[in-house]
Every structure is written in C-alpha cells, then in structure tokens.
Amino acid sequence: MKICILGFGAVGKGVVKAISLKNDRFKEKYGLDLKVVAVTDTSGAAISNKGLDLDLLLEIKEKTGKVSNYPGYGVSGMSNMQVLENAEYDCLVEVTPTDICNGEPAKTHILKAFEDKRDVVTSNKGPLALYFKELNESAMNNGVQFKFEASVGGAMPIINFAHETLSSCDIDSIVGILNGTTNYILSRMAKEGSSYEQILKESQELGIAETNPAQDVEGIDAACKTVILANSLIGRDVSYKDVEVIGISKITPESISLAKNEGYLIKLIGEVSGDVLEVSPRLVREGSPFAVDGTLNVATLKTDLAEDVTVVGKGAGPLETASAILSDIISIYKIKQCNG
Amino acid sequence: MKICILGFGAVGKGVVKAISLKNDRFKEKYGLDLKVVAVTDTSGAAISNKGLDLDLLLEIKEKTGKVSNYPGYGVSGMSNMQVLENAEYDCLVEVTPTDICNGEPAKTHILKAFEDKRDVVTSNKGPLALYFKELNESAMNNGVQFKFEASVGGAMPIINFAHETLSSCDIDSIVGILNGTTNYILSRMAKEGSSYEQILKESQELGIAETNPAQDVEGIDAACKTVILANSLIGRDVSYKDVEVIGISKITPESISLAKNEGYLIKLIGEVSGDVLEVSPRLVREGSPFAVDGTLNVATLKTDLAEDVTVVGKGAGPLETASAILSDIISIYKIKQCNG
C-alpha cells in the first residue's frame, strides 16, 4: 500500500517514524506492507514511486529542515497539488496545518485525492469541522474511504471504537474532555489553588500551552472535535459555527475551590445530545470517569444497550496521533482485502 | 443468522431482549437478520428451526419459569447436548452458569459446537480461564470463530477494542479494575470511613454483593478475567491457577484513610505485564483513570504507539453484557460476509 504524506510537522514525522518502527510487524500480522512514496513540507517534496527510505527522510528533515534535500528524489518548490498529480499512491495522509476558518489547503487536497479515486486518512480538524458532509459525500461518490480518527484526541480512539467495537449499540449522546491543554490547566488550578493566569503562564513555559493559547483556552479546538463527533457518531449535519462555546479563561480559584468542597471538579466539557451542541466549563463528580487530570482526553458514549462507555487516552503527541492514523490505514487495507 | 442460546438466566434473557429490541436496526445497518432457533434452561428447551417469538419466549419464562412451556415448540427435559445435536444453528451463544473448577458444562458445549463447525460467542469465564488454548485451537482447527468479549467486564469492551480499534498498536501490559462489586465496596469504604464488614453487609442487602461473596471479594472473578486478558491480548498461555490472588477482605478503613491523605485510593487491581500475573489491592492516584467509583470496571492497555489507553464501562447487567455478545455476533457476521 503506497502512502503519500502531505505535511511533515510533528504528526507527519510521527507517522513516518511509526511506519519505520512497525512495518515489519504489520507485514507479519496483517500482510500489509506500507511504502511511503511522497512526503511534502514548505520546502517542496521527496517523491519516489519505489518508496522512500524512512530513516533517511527523518534524518534529512532533522538536519536540514527540508524534505526537498532528500538525495536523488528531493524536489525543491514542488507543491502539494503537484505531488498529488504526480505521485503513484493508494492512500493520502493529509496532515498539513489546520485552518479552522476555511479548512484550506487540506480541503482541496482531500477532494483532489477523492476525485483521483484515492483513500484519505487525516488528523486535520479544519475541513472536518467545516465541510464534513461535503467531504464524506465526495468520498462516497468516488467509491473511496475517508477516515479521521486522529482528528479527535490523538490516542483516544473514540470514532472507530463506536463504529467497530460497539457495533451492537446506537449512540444517543457524547460528552467529553476533548482538549488536553485546558484539562492540564484546570487540574493544576484545582491542585494548587493558583490563578488561571499563573498556571497558563507556567503551562506556556512548559510547552503545554501555546504562546497564543486562544485555540485551546477559548474552547475552539474542543468545539471542532465536538462537531466531528456529532457528525460522525450520531449523524448530525452541523458545522463549527453551530457550537455554543465558552472557554476557561474566566474560571477563578474560588469557584474551583467551592466545587471541590462539594466533591466536584470543573472541566471544559464538549457535549452532543438532543439539540445540545456546546463546549463549556461544567462540574464533574470526583470518582466519575471525567475526574482525570493531566493532559488526558476522555469521551463517554451514552449508548442504548451498554449504557455509558468511556475511552481515556492521550490527546496529543506525534506517535500517539500516528497510532490513530495507522489504525485507520490498517482498517482501510482490511476493507480493501475484503472487497477483493 | 441462526442463534442457539444455552442458558436462560440474566445474560441469556438480556441477549433475547436485546435482539428483540435491535434486530430491525441490525437489518437496516448491517443487513443482518438474527433468528433465535433454540433456548434452553434447566427445564428443557424451546426449539424451532423457523425461529422463536422472542417476546413470547420472555413472557413464558417470566410467567412460568420454564422455556419448555413455550407453546408448540417447548420440549421438557431436553438436554443442552440434545439441543446442540438437533438445532439448525449458525452460532452458539453459551451463557450457562460459570464453573471455575472445571469449566463445565460450558467447555463441552463449546467444543461440541466447534466440532459441528459452528461459531461460538460466550460470556462464560470458567472454560476460558482454564482451557483457553485448547478452546482456541479447536476453533482454529475447525475453521470457526470464537469470541468472548462479554467474559471480561460486560460493557467494558476491551478485547475487541485492542484487536480492532488499536490495530496499529501492540499491547505490552494490562492493568485493570475487573470486578464491580469490590470497586463498589472499596469506594463506599473510602467515602464513608466504614468497615469492610459493614459495607459488605449493606452491599448484600442491595443485591450488589452475593450472599456468598467469595468469588468477588477474594479476587477469584478478577483473576479469571486477568487470565483471559493475558491469553487473548498478549499471547500468554496461562490458566487461573497461575494467578497470584489477594482479595479485599483484610482492608481496613485506616489504610484507606491513610492512602486518601496522600492523594491515593485503594482498588483491587488485576495486572498482566512481563512475568507479573496477579490480582491484589493497590494504591491508585486520585485523578488517574483508575479513580472511578461505583460498580464501574476499568482496563488500561499499555501500548507501544499510543501509550496508555483506557476503557471504562459497566461490568455487569443483562443488556450491558448482551451488548458485548451482540457486537461479537455482528463481528462474526461481518467476517463471514467478507469471506463470502
């Protein structure tokens, strides 16, 4: 199976590293041999239809910052669209930076791959939070597969869990802690009694929160994930603008302390149920599956037969996110095997 | 797909009720039409190769206590083995009472079904905790499928989660709260500061602990589940007698209180890792995924790519356990569809 990877930041590198680590295992376990035939970054591309040397690719990127320096097969200035035009690939891994205003350039890449009858796996929230229906319809019309487990909580595999593992159940609603940074900040506020500003500053110094933290602390990231879950798990047709969002920046140590005295914690919760589609700070009970701290993500599926079932996992991290992308690729491979 | 159900206690009735509730949905979603062609209890059997009326079956059982009273197709005194000999079924659902000393009569039923080239789904811990390898080899040799998600934590679907959803990951170790009754007792001791004896007594009055609570409180049930996870998820070849087991009956309110002051809780934990195969009371950190209370079950898979991934769900309950059995049946159906 030939893979084309657009974008070579943390996630793209994680995917290449994970394939390098596990390809022998996939051959043995599934008969699946993954070849990476193209990788792009802002410098251009490395492209070889015989497959790139993954360890060399990672080394070149680390040393020079540019995949276009890949010996023999590097092409400086080659665009993502040119790569999609020229690479002989089976499955696109779309991991360019997310834009939640217009979903580009990921949306164009994904639609181009579909039109060329290629399967797509992505971690890219932007196009999914804005154009979920359009993208899925295009995949269906072109008879290809489209999977995006990694777009919601890197290593908290809730979408495939609902579709595959809970196949006997219908999902009534979803409630989750869908952003690791805000969980980290709120957990430390609860433990230390410090102010939001203080913990945010320390989180930024630790590299857990970004210099511009709005995406996380204002609930934007969690809102995108809430939309993806609403559309993919309970058949809603909603977009990012439909979510009511309140972030965590106004939460005081006093309110956290008051909650704590009554056996509750405050967490930033995304909810999809009935007419509700929102992200907001909520009280969760100590002793409940939502009372996890650190950067963990949690999602609870309320089901008809199994009642509440919860998955907890790391929301981010290069190999963690790669695990979801590779599980999606394996799933596509299995379905193709099945369809002959 | 024709189903034969041996055993008509809480789980068997749950399966019939769940099929009655969801069969139309399965037809629409998967093209799967389930027919229950035989059901047994200690009175005998109801058996019809055209399929039994599920609501009538539940009504007869509730009113008379005997499936053999099913009008027209009830057979008083018909044994499970006679049913396996006479019913035209595709998949056996083995849900007779568990015996953890010899795994019977479930083991004999399962092997008989395999020899007759029938798939088997079971929630029965006994045969799995004692004869895992023998049963799986027999299934493989006969070219049939054998699934047992419901044997470990009714609605905490950890086995299929590991195999399907985490397909890119290898599992290094498993740590879990695998028994709901002990979690309930320990959670209440922590909350109320009462003694083990006091809370056990109240749990028995509430029907959460059994009159003879040894299976739960001595860790026997958790040990069986630990063995099943060791064998099915990380390829060990162990049996119930290989587990080191310590129960919860010697835990004092003082030790719980001491732990609590340091930010820890005491839980009965099953662990499979390296050479470790044990069930014992352990300290777990507040804020970790193990800090859940009530009768919930939890299992954390330590993986190579995704680090720790955790599933939390209800460990028991008729419909909850049925959800796992039906997901297994759907999974068998999909594989059969795929193999043509």
Side-chain angles (χ1 to χ4, degrees):
Chain A
M1 196 163 167
K2 292 180 175 176
I3 307 293
C4 169
I5 303 175
L6 299 188
F8 207 48
V11 176
K13 284 188 277 184
V15 171
V16 167
K17 194 168 177 196
I19 295 176
S20 166
L21 284 170
K22 303 232 31 183
N23 204 38
D24 287 345
R25 179 72 176 136
F26 294 162
K27 279 184 215 164
E28 169 200 334
K29 209 167 161 185
Y30 305 114
L32 168 62
D33 184 11
L34 293 175
K35 269 194 190 16
V36 177
V37 295
V39 171
T40 70
D41 63 13
T42 50
S43 79
I47 177 165
S48 162
N49 293 332
K50 286 181 184 157
L52 299 162
D53 179 319
L54 303 183
D55 295 330
L56 178 59
L57 187 65
L58 289 166
E59 195 190 317
I60 297 286
K61 177 72 179 176
E62 201 189 320
K63 280 198 183 145
T64 74
K66 299 177 179 180
V67 295
S68 57
N69 286 330
Y70 187 96
Y73 300 97
V75 188
S76 184
M78 193 177 197
S79 74
N80 286 318
M81 288 304 274
Q82 286 173 318
V83 169
L84 290 181
E85 205 55 69
N86 288 288
E88 285 174 21
Y89 69 98
D90 302 305
C91 181
L92 168 62
V93 173
E94 217 299 341
V95 289
T96 61
T98 284
D99 182 318
I100 59 133
C101 294
N102 60 19
E104 294 295 358
K107 184 193 173 197
T108 299
H109 299 158
I110 293 170
L111 289 174
K112 162 77 177 151
F114 289 159
E115 282 154 21
D116 293 339
K117 312 297 176 197
R118 270 40 179 266
D119 302 308
V120 176
V121 174
T122 189
S123 62
N124 210 315
K125 284 183 289 289
L128 288 161
L130 295 166
Y131 305 106
F132 189 89
K133 201 176 171 189
E134 180 183 343
L135 292 168
N136 277 281
E137 282 179 355
S138 173
M140 200 176 292
N141 292 339
N142 285 292
V144 295
Q145 295 182 70
F146 182 34
K147 295 191 62 94
F148 39 83
E149 180 66 72
S151 67
V152 182
M156 178 200 64
I158 195 75
I159 299 173
N160 295 331
F161 180 67
H163 288 145
E164 296 167 358
T165 310
L166 292 178
S167 58
S168 69
C169 296
D170 284 284
I171 313 295
D172 296 323
S173 62
I174 307 145
V175 183
I177 298 173
L178 303 173
N179 179 272
T181 305
T182 49
N183 195 21
Y184 180 84
I185 293 172
L186 293 172
S187 301
R188 280 198 52 190
M189 285 176 73
K191 212 163 277 175
E192 299 166 26
S194 314
S195 71
Y196 165 74
E197 290 75 16
Q198 178 62 30
I199 301 287
L200 172 61
K201 198 172 147 250
E202 290 181 30
S203 305
Q204 287 171 320
E205 284 160 11
L206 289 165
I208 290 172
E210 294 185 39
T211 318
N212 178 353
Q215 286 260 98
D216 293 317
V217 300
E218 299 305 340
I220 299 167
D221 174 73
C224 288
K225 293 169 178 170
T226 303
V227 163
I228 298 171
L229 293 177
N231 290 329
S232 60
L233 296 189
I234 54 176
R236 299 279 285 274
D237 177 18
V238 290
S239 133
Y240 170 65
K241 66 180 181 338
D242 300 316
V243 192
E244 288 192 49
V245 189
I246 304 170
I248 66 162
S249 58
K250 301 222 172 71
I251 295 173
T252 61
E254 290 70 31
S255 58
I256 290 179
S257 165
L258 269 173
K260 217 172 165 183
N261 292 340
E262 302 294 321
Y264 289 89
L265 299 162
I266 298 180
K267 302 283 185 188
L268 185 68
I269 298 286
E271 177 176 347
V272 186
S273 69
D275 292 335
V276 178
L277 183 69
E278 70 172 58
V279 170
S280 60
R282 301 259 191 102
L283 294 178
V284 306
R285 201 174 50 74
E286 280 181 359
S288 79
F290 291 100
V292 294
D293 59 19
T295 59
L296 287 173
N297 281 206
V298 186
T300 294
L301 304 172
K302 294 184 179 289
T303 74
D304 54 350
L305 293 182
E307 288 203 15
D308 289 8
V309 189
T310 303
V311 178
V312 186
K314 285 192 70 173
L319 276 183
E320 289 81 354
T321 306
S323 79
I325 289 173
L326 290 180
S327 292
D328 275 349
I329 291 174
I330 291 167
S331 170
I332 287 175
Y333 168 76
K334 284 184 180 169
I335 292 174
K336 288 190 131 167
Q337 290 287 98
C338 178
N339 295 339
Chain B
M1 196 165 168
K2 291 180 174 178
I3 308 292
C4 169
I5 302 174
L6 299 188
F8 207 49
V11 176
K13 284 188 277 185
V15 171
V16 167
K17 194 167 177 199
I19 296 176
S20 165
L21 285 170
K22 303 238 20 189
N23 204 37
D24 287 344
R25 178 73 176 134
F26 294 162
K27 279 184 215 165
E28 168 199 335
K29 208 168 162 185
Y30 306 114
L32 168 63
D33 183 12
L34 293 175
K35 270 196 189 12
V36 177
V37 295
V39 172
T40 70
D41 63 12
T42 50
S43 80
I47 177 166
S48 162
N49 292 331
K50 286 181 187 158
L52 300 162
D53 179 319
L54 302 182
D55 297 329
L56 179 60
L57 187 64
L58 289 166
E59 193 190 319
I60 296 286
K61 177 71 179 176
E62 200 187 320
K63 281 198 182 144
T64 74
K66 300 176 178 180
V67 295
S68 57
N69 285 331
Y70 187 96
Y73 300 96
V75 188
S76 185
M78 193 177 198
S79 74
N80 285 318
M81 289 303 273
Q82 286 172 318
V83 169
L84 290 181
E85 205 55 69
N86 288 288
E88 284 174 20
Y89 69 99
D90 302 304
C91 180
L92 168 62
V93 173
E94 217 299 341
V95 288
T96 62
T98 285
D99 183 318
I100 60 133
C101 293
N102 61 17
E104 293 294 359
K107 185 193 171 197
T108 300
H109 299 157
I110 294 170
L111 289 174
K112 163 77 176 151
F114 289 158
E115 283 154 21
D116 294 340
K117 313 295 177 199
R118 267 46 176 264
D119 303 308
V120 176
V121 174
T122 188
S123 62
N124 210 315
K125 285 181 289 289
L128 288 161
L130 296 166
Y131 305 106
F132 190 89
K133 202 178 170 187
E134 179 183 343
L135 292 168
N136 277 281
E137 282 178 355
S138 172
M140 201 177 291
N141 293 339
N142 286 293
V144 295
Q145 295 184 70
F146 181 35
K147 295 189 64 90
F148 39 82
E149 181 67 71
S151 66
V152 181
M156 178 200 61
I158 194 75
I159 299 173
N160 295 332
F161 181 66
H163 288 146
E164 296 168 359
T165 310
L166 291 177
S167 58
S168 69
C169 297
D170 284 285
I171 313 294
D172 297 322
S173 63
I174 307 145
V175 183
I177 298 174
L178 303 174
N179 179 272
T181 305
T182 49
N183 194 22
Y184 179 83
I185 293 172
L186 292 172
S187 302
R188 279 199 53 192
M189 286 175 73
K191 211 163 277 175
E192 299 167 25
S194 314
S195 71
Y196 166 75
E197 291 75 16
Q198 177 63 29
I199 302 287
L200 172 62
K201 198 171 149 251
E202 290 181 30
S203 305
Q204 287 171 321
E205 285 161 10
L206 289 166
I208 289 171
E210 294 185 39
T211 319
N212 178 354
Q215 286 260 97
D216 293 317
V217 301
E218 299 305 340
I220 299 167
D221 174 71
C224 288
K225 293 170 179 169
T226 303
V227 162
I228 297 170
L229 292 179
N231 290 331
S232 59
L233 296 190
I234 54 176
R236 298 279 286 271
D237 177 20
V238 290
S239 132
Y240 171 63
K241 65 179 182 343
D242 300 316
V243 192
E244 287 191 50
V245 188
I246 304 170
I248 66 162
S249 58
K250 302 223 171 72
I251 294 174
T252 61
E254 291 70 29
S255 58
I256 289 179
S257 165
L258 269 173
K260 216 172 166 184
N261 292 341
E262 303 293 322
Y264 290 90
L265 299 162
I266 297 180
K267 301 285 185 186
L268 185 68
I269 298 286
E271 177 177 346
V272 187
S273 68
D275 293 337
V276 178
L277 184 69
E278 70 172 60
V279 170
S280 60
R282 301 259 190 103
L283 294 178
V284 305
R285 201 174 51 75
E286 281 182 357
S288 79
F290 292 99
V292 294
D293 59 18
T295 58
L296 286 174
N297 280 207
V298 186
T300 294
L301 304 172
K302 292 182 181 291
T303 74
D304 54 351
L305 293 182
E307 289 204 14
D308 289 10
V309 189
T310 302
V311 178
V312 186
K314 285 194 71 173
L319 276 183
E320 289 82 353
T321 306
S323 79
I325 289 173
L326 290 179
S327 292
D328 276 348
I329 290 175
I330 291 167
S331 170
I332 287 175
Y333 169 76
K334 283 184 181 171
I335 291 174
K336 289 190 132 167
Q337 289 287 98
C338 179
N339 295 339

